[in-house]
Amino acid sequence: RENQVKIMDNSTLIYKTVMRDNVPVGAIGLIGPTRMNYGRAISLIDNISDSVSHLIDSGDSDNTMYLNGETDG
């Protein structure tokens, strides 16, 4: 049995760490059925994680404020 949590018996978690300046700051993931298209799911998570990491690293003050939960006023 892969999952110790009963409700997750037929599910899989795929995730990738989000980085800022080469330091882990979070993760992006998805929960899907055990028999999903893993290639597509992993590609999706890789692309989203890389995009978020790039936004955080870019130093764009608008993106940084949004990602830090700040608002304009």
Side-chain angles (χ1 to χ4, degrees), residues 1-71:
R1 185 171 157 176
E2 283 186 42
N3 293 307
Q4 299 301 315
V5 180
K6 179 82 173 136
I7 198 166
M8 295 286 291
D9 269 352
N10 297 313
S11 301
T12 299
L13 170 65
I14 298 173
Y15 71 95
K16 184 176 178 184
T17 304
V18 173
M19 308 291 281
R20 180 176 188 174
D21 299 325
N22 294 319
V23 176
V25 294
I28 300 289
L30 66 84
I31 298 172
T34 303
R35 298 185 183 275
M36 70 174 128
N37 181 336
Y38 284 94
R40 185 173 181 205
I42 290 169
S43 177
L44 176 67
I45 294 302
D46 279 343
N47 288 332
I48 294 171
S49 175
D50 292 346
S51 294
V52 171
S53 293
H54 178 74
L55 282 172
I56 293 171
D57 278 341
S58 73
D60 183 336
S61 62
D62 289 339
N63 291 331
T64 304
M65 284 176 41
Y66 174 74
L67 292 168
N68 286 334
E70 300 172 13
T71 61

